[in-house]
Amino acid sequence: MLILGLESSAKAASAALCRDGELIAQYSQCSGLTHSRTLLPMVEDLLKNTETKLADVDAVAVARGPGSFTGIRIGVAAVKGLCWGSEKPAIGVSTLAAMAWNGVAAGEGTRVCCCMDARRQQIYNAVFEIRDGKPVRLVPDRAIAIEELAAELEKCEKRVFLVGDGARLCYNRLGELGISCTLAPEPLTQQSAYGVCRAAELETAAPASELLPVYLRLSQAERERQARLSRTK
């Protein structure tokens, strides 16, 4: 199965092309430019340089969240456009499930702790265990305080490997709380479209019209709106 994957849920953006689990090519950029400016040009160059036509792709996958609200919307909108134009199915995957593939290098039995800075003293988090070379989910995606995560990890007797753009934040705070863990090398702390492709292999493709973002929390604008409404009651 040939999958084109897009990742734009955090500061870094990337596009990757994978066939049956093997990486053909990947472009990544963490320049600070908006993903609406960088994502589709990366896709265009990726397909051109691998001499691949969009018509040859079996499905287009994307990290649908959690993560940056704007970044998620850009990625989902880009995939919808690509799928509608080429009549290809879409696959939306959890950002954290895709990120967990960065932990495969840590070895069998490792607990992979995926961390994204969710602001407001929380992280977006999920925990996986590497079994037979694949990440197996142990807890659902969630927004959680690092102190709560520390209480869970304190009971874990296996090696804990931190990945994601919030990994260093967690590593520093968990260390202060006396929790032993390993921080992934810098390239593995960033979300990648390769992980999106691998996670997509375990999902079922569907029409692009069914692809929806997953935020886990209300946006700031929605929180402020609810606060205004509660004051008027």
Side-chain angles (χ1 to χ4, degrees):
M1 185 176 187
L2 185 61
I3 298 177
L4 172 63
L6 279 67
E7 219 312 340
S8 60
S9 65
K11 186 177 181 181
S14 58
L17 195 63
C18 288
R19 186 188 299 277
D20 298 328
E22 293 188 7
L23 179 64
I24 297 173
Q26 178 170 244
Y27 280 10
S28 181
Q29 189 167 334
C30 190
S31 62
L33 296 174
T34 176
H35 299 330
S36 61
R37 177 175 171 180
T38 62
L39 193 59
L40 286 178
M42 283 196 292
V43 171
E44 183 179 7
D45 286 345
L46 180 74
L47 295 176
K48 178 181 178 181
N49 292 339
T50 58
E51 298 183 344
T52 303
K53 297 179 180 179
L54 191 56
D56 299 330
V57 173
D58 293 305
V60 186
V62 65
R64 66 175 186 271
S68 159
F69 285 38
T70 300
I72 293 168
R73 285 193 289 266
I74 290 171
V76 168
V79 167
K80 282 179 177 287
L82 290 170
C83 289
W84 284 335
S86 60
E87 298 184 340
K88 296 293 179 178
I91 306 176
V93 304
S94 157
T95 303
L96 299 168
M99 190 190 307
W101 283 90
N102 287 356
V104 171
E108 282 292 303
T110 300
R111 290 288 172 90
V112 180
C113 186
C114 302
C115 313
M116 298 181 70
D117 187 359
R119 312 288 183 181
R120 301 176 66 207
Q121 300 181 327
Q122 288 186 323
I123 58 167
Y124 293 126
N125 167 260
V127 181
F128 299 77
E129 183 173 307
I130 304 303
R131 300 176 188 167
D132 298 324
K134 298 179 180 180
V136 176
R137 181 183 288 277
L138 300 180
V139 300
D141 291 355
R142 59 201 177 165
I144 186 174
I146 298 179
E147 287 73 15
E148 292 180 63
L149 177 62
E152 292 183 7
L153 296 180
E154 190 174 19
K155 305 171 186 176
C156 179
E157 298 179 353
K158 297 190 176 183
R159 180 188 180 196
V160 177
F161 191 69
L162 302 176
V163 300
D165 64 350
R168 181 167 294 279
L169 171 67
C170 284
Y171 179 76
N172 293 337
R173 183 60 182 138
L174 290 173
E176 294 172 356
L177 296 171
I179 305 299
S180 177
C181 52
T182 301
L183 178 65
E186 184 64 27
L188 296 181
T189 60
Q190 295 183 357
Q191 291 84 323
S192 77
Y194 166 73
V196 171
C197 290
R198 296 308 308 272
E201 294 171 5
L202 305 176
E203 302 291 342
T204 302
S209 58
E210 298 180 13
L211 178 62
L212 296 172
V214 176
Y215 299 125
L216 288 187
R217 295 191 323 198
L218 294 175
S219 68
Q220 181 176 347
E222 290 170 321
R223 292 196 304 270
E224 291 175 351
R225 177 177 178 274
Q226 287 191 354
R228 288 195 299 270
L229 291 174
S230 64
R231 288 195 296 267
T232 59
K233 290 181 180 179

